[in-house]
């Protein structure tokens, strides 16, 4: 029975670490997104009002910073401005709470461990598949003719 308790504790610890990491990355992404947004709002305003000219060194640095920040913002926008992170954190927390409740209720602890271990692995894999790098090489399946979103058939 000690081995089963170790397995249960290990899964509980993994879920807890994952929740903490997701929460931390959510804060990092939101803070970075907010900083990018502030730069993209302030730089054009500073140049437009005339606090500095785009011909000065400071103006050129501001324009370069706006270009770089704008590119980074567009590239990483799905991560920086995503509500999905909150949903991911809540899904793992809920799964962990349900797992802990079922283990505390007793019954077949090994079956509970197996079920939640598989569900957690599927959730973790789904999140990884949704990353940009994970979807670049995946071809989208062609929708059958007449399906919603498919091009109209030509006669």
């Amino acid at each position: 029975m000690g081995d089963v308790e170790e397995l249960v504790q290990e899964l509980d610890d993994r879920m807890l670490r994952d929740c903490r990491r997701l929460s931390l990355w959510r804060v990092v992404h939101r803070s970075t997104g907010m900083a990018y947004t502030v730069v993209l709002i302030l730089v054009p305003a500073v140049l437009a009002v005339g606090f500095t000219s785009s011909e000065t060194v400071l103006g050129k640095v501001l324009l370069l910073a706006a270009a770089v920040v704008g590119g980074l913002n567009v590239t990483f926008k799905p991560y920086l401005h995503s509500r999905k992170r909150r949903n991911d954190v809540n899904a793992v927390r809920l799964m962990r709470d349900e797992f802990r409740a079922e283990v505390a209720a007793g019954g077949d602890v090994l079956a509970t461990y197996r079920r939640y271990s598989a569900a957690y692995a599927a959730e973790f894999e789904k999140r990884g598949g949704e990353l940009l790098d994970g979807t670049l090489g995946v071809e989208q399946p062609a929708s059958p003719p007449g399906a919603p979103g498919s091009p109209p058939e030509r006669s």
Side-chain angles (χ1 to χ4, degrees):
M1 192 65 178
D3 291 337
V4 173
E5 290 173 4
E6 287 178 30
L7 287 173
V8 166
Q9 187 61 44
E10 179 186 332
L11 182 59
D12 185 50
D13 291 343
R14 274 189 286 158
M15 286 186 200
L16 181 61
R17 270 194 316 271
D18 197 25
C19 285
R20 287 182 179 152
R21 283 185 191 142
L22 285 170
S23 294
L24 173 68
W25 279 110
R26 181 173 178 267
V27 169
V28 168
H29 289 155
R30 298 286 291 180
S31 302
T32 304
M34 291 298 291
Y36 285 177
T37 301
V38 167
V39 168
L40 290 173
I41 290 170
L42 285 180
V43 168
V46 166
L47 292 171
V49 171
F51 288 133
T52 187
S53 168
S54 62
E55 300 301 318
T56 65
V57 173
L58 177 61
K60 290 178 182 179
V61 168
L62 287 174
L63 286 174
L64 180 63
V68 170
V69 167
L72 290 171
N73 193 41
V74 168
T75 302
F76 297 108
K77 192 169 189 139
Y79 304 108
L80 300 176
H81 302 285
S82 175
R83 289 187 207 148
K84 183 157 179 4
R85 287 260 178 222
R86 181 182 305 155
N87 295 339
D88 289 343
V89 172
N90 289 338
V92 174
R93 280 188 183 148
L94 177 64
M95 185 182 303
R96 180 173 179 253
D97 291 344
E98 289 173 354
F99 170 69
R100 294 176 76 199
E102 281 195 38
V103 167
D108 190 0
V109 177
L110 191 56
T112 302
Y113 166 81
R114 286 181 177 146
R115 185 172 68 250
Y116 279 93
S117 179
Y120 175 67
E123 179 71 25
F124 196 81
E125 186 176 336
K126 182 182 87 169
R127 276 198 333 256
E130 291 171 350
L131 292 174
L132 182 65
D133 294 339
T135 58
L136 283 178
V138 177
E139 292 184 25
Q140 297 298 322
S143 52
S150 64
E153 292 183 30
R154 297 183 187 214
S155 317

